[in-house]
Amino acid sequence: AQSVTQPDIHITVSEGASLELRCNYSYGATPYLFWYVQSPGQGLQLLLKYFSGDTLVQGIKGFEAEFKRSQSSFNLRKPSVHWSDAAEYFCAVGAREGSQGNLIFGKGTKLSVKP
Amino acid sequence: NAGVMQNPRHLVRRRGQEARLRCSPMKGHSHVYWYRQLPEEGLKFMVYLQKENIIDESGMPKERFSAEFPKEGPSILRIQQVVRGDSAAYFCASSPGLVGAHEQFFGPGTRLTVL
């Protein structure tokens, strides 16, 4: 079955520290890959996406993610976290073919930032 | 440059009442997706619509739930005879079409509370 796993439910980092949020997927073929961020009470904002090409993807707000086919992973990174990055982060996948385009989401990782 | 609009943002209903959630996609977008987010969960796909057509409703509960996207006006997600388990955040997303169909832009959500 198609699924997305975000192993870390909650992560706390100090402001200025580096961040890595993990995402693994189970899919029949390489899917499209996304990271979204959700602030409390808000909708989802797209941080970055991978469709094809360079496996290191740059996004907004200084985030990047690396697609590793051999590990079925698409981990999100940021070299220096800011207090405003505190939010919930969702990894999602979408099928390349034979799909109507709906996304499958992980359960999310809540990020807290210590001053 | 309005994004995806959803209203109401918050909706309170008593058990047995009807809930109507509205979604206006981004300008130029003809594809609408509805997702439901239960507490501590990621988003789960419900239904995918194009103008006047339901394309994929595989994520919709078999009873009490319906969706439409008329030629004119917003998309509507309708929940009849609501129960407490329907309490959740409901998100609408839109995309411009088959090209880039997997890049979905999300609205702020409607938070439904069933008393």
Side-chain angles (χ1 to χ4, degrees):
Chain A
Q2 302 156 353
S3 65
V4 177
T5 301
Q6 294 180 247
D8 304 305
I9 296 173
H10 192 183
I11 285 182
T12 300
V13 300
S14 297
E15 191 168 14
S18 63
L19 171 71
E20 182 168 26
L21 302 182
R22 295 181 289 166
C23 173
N24 293 93
Y25 63 88
S26 174
Y27 221 81
T30 300
Y32 295 122
L33 297 155
F34 306 84
W35 275 99
Y36 284 88
V37 60
Q38 183 182 33
S39 297
Q42 301 297 314
L44 277 72
Q45 181 182 22
L46 181 68
L47 283 175
L48 47 77
K49 61 184 184 286
Y50 173 76
F51 282 4
S52 64
D54 193 345
T55 56
L56 184 61
V57 180
Q58 302 297 320
I60 61 171
K61 304 185 180 186
F63 285 93
E64 66 177 26
E66 186 171 13
F67 167 55
K68 292 186 177 180
R69 185 191 307 272
S70 61
Q71 298 177 19
S72 297
S73 70
F74 189 54
N75 293 350
L76 182 71
R77 300 194 293 249
K78 186 168 184 177
S80 178
V81 169
H82 188 262
W83 64 267
S84 61
D85 293 325
E88 190 151 21
Y89 292 79
F90 292 94
C91 180
V93 302
R96 289 178 178 270
E97 296 176 357
S99 163
Q100 306 297 353
N102 58 285
L103 300 178
I104 298 171
F105 284 84
K107 291 190 175 183
T109 297
K110 188 172 181 180
L111 173 65
S112 297
V113 180
K114 291 189 299 186
Chain B
N1 188 24
V4 178
M5 310 282 283
Q6 288 188 251
N7 67 81
R9 293 291 304 275
H10 300 273
L11 182 60
V12 179
R13 285 287 178 265
R14 297 191 180 279
R15 281 178 296 169
Q17 292 183 319
E18 178 179 289
R20 280 183 177 244
L21 289 62
R22 294 174 188 78
C23 169
S24 296
M26 287 180 70
K27 188 176 181 181
H29 287 194
S30 58
H31 298 239
V32 165
Y33 303 82
W34 285 93
Y35 293 84
R36 176 165 64 175
Q37 184 180 33
L38 295 169
E40 310 300 323
E41 295 284 327
L43 279 70
K44 300 280 193 226
F45 167 74
M46 299 181 75
V47 62
Y48 163 42
L49 310 103
Q50 296 177 24
K51 286 283 188 181
E52 300 185 278
N53 285 300
I54 297 174
I55 308 302
D56 180 359
E57 57 182 347
S58 59
M60 286 275 269
K62 293 288 186 284
E63 298 177 346
R64 301 188 298 108
F65 285 72
S66 62
E68 63 177 11
F69 188 16
K71 187 176 181 181
E72 301 291 337
S75 175
I76 307 286
L77 180 67
R78 182 183 178 203
I79 311 172
Q80 295 177 290
Q81 300 174 333
V82 296
V83 301
R84 288 221 173 103
D86 297 332
S87 294
Y90 292 82
F91 290 94
C92 168
S94 71
S95 68
L98 289 178
V99 176
H102 292 85
E103 182 163 357
Q104 297 177 15
F105 298 83
F106 282 80
T110 294
R111 279 146 185 88
L112 172 65
T113 301
V114 179
L115 302 178

